[in-house]
Amino acid sequence: MHSTYARPRARRLAAAAVTVALAATGGTLSALPAAAAPVAPAAAQDARQTGVAFPRDADVVGAGPSGFLSKTRGSAPVFRWTRYADGTSTVLPGASAAGGGTDLVVTGDRAMLTVSSVLTVRDMAKPDAAPVALDLDALGDYLYTGLAGDTLLLGRHEGEDDVQYAVTLDAETLAGGAPKLRKLVGGAGVSCQGADGGWTDTGSALYDCAIDTAGTSAKILVDPATGKDTWFVQGPDELPWWGAASATHAAWRESRRGGSGIVAVRRDAPTQQVWIPDAAAWTDPLYLVGGWLASGERARIEQSTYLPGTDNPTKRPFTLRSVAKPGETFTALTAYSSAVAGPGGSLLVRGGTPEHGEGLYRIAPRADGGRPTVELVASTGQSTLVTLLGSSTPNEMTGERVARGVDLAWDLSRGDSHVWLTLTHLPSRTTVYGGWDPDDSSTGEPRRITWHWDGKDLESRAWGAPARNGAYEWKITARPDEGIGPELVATGRFYVTRPAAAHDYDDDGTADLLTRDPEGVLWRYGTRPAATGGSLTDTGGTRVGGGWKAYDRLVSVGNVAGGSAPDTVARDRSGVLWLYQGTGLRNAPLAARTSIGGGWQAYDRITGGSDVTGDGRPDLLAADKSGVLWLYPGTGNARAPFAARKRIGAGWGVYNELTAAGNLGGAKTGDLLARDRAGVLWLYLGKGDGTFAARKQVGGGWGAFKGLTAVGDANGDGRADLVAWNGDETFYAGTGDWAAPFKRGARASLTQDSTYDSAF
């Protein structure tokens, strides 16, 4: 055995296995360069012209001059040899199989060749030749470690070392003669993993070895035909991993202090090693085509483990890089799932391009060292790309259309795709998911994906709460079933819009009730019409925050600050009035407070939310301790939300409750409810000029309630409603008739029987 010993400055990673066939996931979209355009040899013309087909849902595990070996995915794989000349294929018996750059194929009796006891060798260029069986146990407890051209690579454990051997599959051996074993590497304190510890081409094998006497490891490149080997000894902090060899070069991934990258070396100058920084995962396979490194992120087949939004990286295409000029790269394939050595130093890759679709591609070196050629040699008949042909989605949804829901649809170019949908309410970042498996009956034809959105809130669908206003973004992600092609990602938006509603703190078009518990914590309770009709039910309580015991008056005043959500004013015990602007956010409905001003302790009663001036903005009403009612017109300006007060009149001291009720009487302006100390409720219809018409009696018995809260249109019938509360709640649906403004009251447990001292 002839050896070359090369000790570089410092390099490497502990050994691992590269199998001849690999499977995984999609990549980014990139065009096939003109320099890599197919140039078809006589033995392998354009696959679309010759009709050579590559099986769908399969990977390449071997390739020779006359054909290629494929393996279907799944628990019971099928191995098939396909001829380039006429596209005919032969299914091979065996639980495992591999090729090594010639027309020789090895099959095993176990699911993995490396644990098979009996190997069968076939010469696929001679279909009439009888296969030859090799009993590895009978030979001496050997294990299969690779196939390099016409050399079968075997290994076994001897003492403390793993030793590697070779068997030349010559005419005598293929005729049934006794195999002739010869030692390649290992023994005497050197333990070497099999050839699947380094990628093999048709004439060499790259092994990972541990040198016990030196306490180090090494990459050892062996030419099985001559027995010549070259050693690359690792430094103590150098960790080598995936390796590759060609007729001219060797290379491997390496992790070292300061980063990860690739070590490349010319075989005729083993001490002149090149370090190429590379951020790819150190477990990614690495290949060589002459003096060009080849790598990419393999297509992932385990579709069921994919969750949109949590694991959706951009896949790297299958790219080649010059060893001599590391800055010179080109994309050969959009994505790939497996690759094997082919004759003449070529690489056969299962992958795809936008121009030629999916199938088996040959990447071959050029004599002048220029960019390798890329050609399609067998096609699956599938487009690599999944495209969005069209969509049926709304631009805007309002009112009844939201209540009815909407059917969304997307037309995809490939039916055999895994599809995921996300719909996100952008203001709240709430997302729901949908998913579709591939259409098993599809062979790549277009497919329509449909999804019905019921118009319910994305976060509170179980409660049946309506969808919130704002922008909604849909995102369709589609990946070909085989995982080869790049993902399609398409997005679009539509908007849910409703007029601003009184007491709609979370922007879903329905009323909310705010309460303060005895500890000073503020809560928001959403409402929706009860299924039985005539009342309301709750959609659950949300904690707003603490510290609200500092206030002796809390009032919902509608949108006085110019936003789209209702605002709240709170008076502290020193008489300062504070403004809390509404945000429209469910879990944080109120922004930080700003001061309106002092002196508000002069008022006994404060209410707001009705537009009594007719300018389209809600106003504030306050009765002072002498019984004078004052109007503070709303401005829509957050810095000064109310204009100077105007005196409406005296005599309001007879009332112990004032509630700005919105439009109760059917006119366009806001009205006012007043309860006297005898429990009689009176309606003051607004004139639209800041004054009210003479009062109308609504009825008696209202003294049983601690408070009255006008909640706007809570049941969705277009009329203003009222909630009366005293430990529990009674809902009074509005009629729109000033003479009888409310229907009979109905019990409505809006606050889930929680304890509170203020509701507004």
Side-chain angles (χ1 to χ4, degrees):
M1 179 180 293
H2 306 284
S3 298
T4 301
Y5 186 90
R7 185 179 182 95
R9 288 180 299 164
R11 336 198 176 264
R12 309 351 51 134
L13 226 164
V18 175
T19 56
V20 179
L22 303 160
T25 15
T28 55
L29 177 60
S30 178
L32 184 69
V39 179
Q45 300 172 6
D46 191 303
R48 292 164 297 176
Q49 298 176 7
T50 63
V52 179
F54 192 90
R56 297 187 179 185
D57 193 28
D59 286 297
V60 62
V61 291
S66 70
F68 60 86
L69 180 66
S70 61
K71 171 190 176 183
T72 60
R73 301 169 186 140
S75 58
V78 175
F79 296 91
R80 179 181 283 105
W81 179 268
T82 302
R83 289 167 48 86
Y84 293 124
D86 53 16
T88 59
S89 63
T90 303
V91 174
L92 302 181
S96 53
T102 67
D103 290 329
L104 297 177
V105 171
V106 174
T107 60
D109 60 347
R110 305 283 180 86
M112 297 177 61
L113 281 170
T114 52
V115 296
S116 293
S117 298
V118 177
L119 302 179
T120 301
V121 182
R122 291 176 173 82
D123 188 347
M124 302 310 299
K126 301 175 182 178
D128 296 331
V132 176
L134 300 176
D135 188 333
L136 300 186
D137 291 340
L139 282 177
D141 198 24
Y142 290 91
L143 298 176
Y144 171 89
T145 58
L147 182 63
D150 62 357
T151 303
L152 179 64
L153 304 175
L154 303 175
R156 68 174 179 179
H157 196 65
E158 298 179 1
E160 297 298 322
D161 303 320
D162 290 317
V163 183
Q164 303 301 318
Y165 290 83
V167 175
T168 301
L169 300 174
D170 53 18
E172 181 181 351
T173 304
L174 294 176
K180 301 180 179 63
L181 285 157
R182 64 184 191 283
K183 182 178 176 181
L184 289 179
V185 66
V190 178
S191 183
C192 296
Q193 293 188 13
D196 58 350
W199 188 75
T200 60
D201 72 357
T202 57
S204 58
L206 188 62
Y207 291 96
D208 283 301
C209 302
I211 307 172
D212 296 336
T213 55
T216 58
S217 59
K219 285 282 189 181
I220 301 180
L221 181 64
V222 181
D223 181 347
T226 64
K228 181 180 178 180
D229 59 38
T230 303
W231 291 41
F232 305 98
V233 179
Q234 325 303 330
D237 61 344
E238 300 168 337
L239 303 173
W241 200 250
W242 295 106
S246 71
T248 58
H249 288 76
W252 55 88
R253 293 194 184 280
E254 182 172 297
S255 176
R256 59 170 65 169
R257 291 179 182 176
S260 60
I262 299 171
V263 175
V265 59
R266 290 185 57 90
R267 294 176 67 161
D268 59 1
T271 61
Q272 300 175 19
Q273 299 181 9
V274 177
W275 170 257
I276 303 172
D278 189 90
W282 50 272
T283 55
D284 278 4
L286 182 68
Y287 310 96
L288 271 170
V289 181
W292 290 77
L293 296 163
S295 64
E297 191 167 0
R298 295 173 296 160
R300 186 171 44 204
I301 304 305
E302 300 81 4
Q303 303 289 346
S304 61
T305 64
Y306 175 75
L307 291 176
T310 60
D311 182 19
N312 188 18
T314 300
K315 301 300 174 207
R316 290 179 289 103
F318 197 73
T319 303
L320 276 75
R321 171 188 293 175
S322 170
V323 173
K325 300 176 181 178
E328 183 177 350
T329 64
F330 77 96
T331 296
L333 303 174
T334 301
Y336 90 111
S337 66
S338 53
V340 296
S346 65
L347 187 67
L348 277 296
V349 186
R350 169 70 173 95
T353 67
E355 295 85 352
H356 303 292
E358 296 186 23
L360 185 65
Y361 285 80
R362 177 187 288 112
I363 303 177
R366 288 182 172 173
D368 61 2
R371 289 187 176 184
T373 60
V374 182
E375 58 180 328
L376 177 68
V377 295
S379 174
T380 66
Q382 298 167 293
S383 169
T384 294
L385 302 180
V386 185
T387 59
L388 182 66
L389 303 177
S391 62
S392 176
T393 58
N395 294 321
E396 186 175 28
M397 298 175 63
T398 60
E400 286 300 316
R401 191 177 185 192
V402 179
R404 293 194 306 268
V406 63
D407 290 311
L408 310 177
W410 299 267
D411 293 313
L412 305 179
S413 63
R414 286 186 57 167
D416 56 342
S417 299
H418 292 260
V419 182
W420 298 271
L421 165 70
T422 60
L423 181 64
T424 302
H425 178 238
L426 294 180
S428 66
R429 306 308 303 177
T430 304
T431 297
V432 296
Y433 297 92
W436 294 263
D437 290 328
D439 181 356
D440 293 336
S441 64
S442 172
T443 56
E445 298 86 354
R447 176 188 186 188
R448 168 160 281 208
I449 297 294
T450 60
W451 185 71
H452 177 76
W453 179 39
D454 58 10
K456 303 303 181 185
D457 181 66
L458 303 186
E459 183 180 26
S460 307
R461 293 168 64 85
W463 296 329
R468 281 176 275 182
N469 289 331
Y472 287 77
E473 182 177 82
W474 57 261
K475 179 180 178 182
I476 282 285
T477 303
R479 180 183 297 164
D481 186 20
E482 293 185 326
I484 298 288
E487 289 181 346
L488 161 72
V489 178
T491 61
R493 290 187 182 183
F494 60 85
Y495 297 84
V496 171
T497 58
R498 306 181 188 87
H503 275 261
D504 180 14
Y505 280 93
D506 62 352
D507 211 20
D508 67 354
T510 62
D512 299 294
L513 193 66
L514 299 181
T515 68
R516 179 182 62 186
D517 69 22
E519 302 301 320
V521 176
L522 198 67
W523 297 82
R524 182 195 60 80
Y525 291 91
T527 68
R528 62 181 173 88
T532 56
S535 186
L536 298 182
T537 185
D538 72 275
T539 59
T542 301
R543 189 181 190 274
V544 176
W548 289 80
K549 289 194 77 170
Y551 304 115
D552 61 7
R553 288 289 186 272
L554 296 169
V555 183
S556 178
V557 292
N559 167 27
V560 299
S564 60
D567 306 318
T568 292
V569 295
R571 186 183 69 185
D572 66 25
R573 302 186 189 283
S574 68
V576 176
L577 195 67
W578 299 88
L579 172 68
Y580 286 87
Q581 285 186 253
T583 65
L585 301 176
R586 170 161 293 154
N587 297 320
L590 300 175
R593 70 179 188 174
T594 57
S595 175
I596 294 175
W600 290 81
Q601 69 271 22
Y603 300 110
D604 263 350
R605 298 293 170 190
I606 300 173
T607 187
S610 285
D611 173 20
V612 299
T613 60
D615 62 359
R617 292 189 289 267
D619 306 307
L620 187 75
L621 295 162
D624 64 24
K625 295 177 181 179
S626 67
V628 176
L629 186 65
W630 299 88
L631 167 66
Y632 286 84
T635 65
N637 181 353
R639 294 185 177 180
F642 302 113
R645 71 179 185 173
K646 298 178 181 180
R647 189 177 190 273
I648 293 178
W652 292 81
V654 299
Y655 302 115
N656 60 12
E657 182 76 1
L658 296 178
T659 301
N663 172 20
L664 286 176
K668 293 183 179 180
T669 54
D671 306 320
L672 182 66
L673 289 171
R675 184 185 64 188
D676 65 25
R677 300 185 189 282
V680 177
L681 191 64
W682 301 86
L683 171 62
Y684 286 85
L685 296 175
K687 294 181 179 181
D689 60 358
T691 65
F692 298 98
R695 70 180 187 174
K696 307 290 184 181
Q697 183 175 324
V698 175
W702 292 82
F705 300 111
K706 185 175 181 180
L708 305 175
T709 303
V711 291
D713 178 18
N715 61 1
D717 63 0
R719 303 182 183 97
D721 306 315
L722 184 71
V723 171
W725 51 273
N726 188 18
D728 55 19
E729 298 81 45
T730 302
F731 175 66
Y732 289 88
T735 65
D737 180 2
W738 64 268
F742 300 113
K743 297 179 183 179
R744 181 184 295 272
R747 175 67 187 274
S749 180
L750 303 180
T751 61
Q752 304 169 338
D753 297 322
S754 62
T755 302
Y756 55 89
D757 58 26
S758 181
F760 57 97

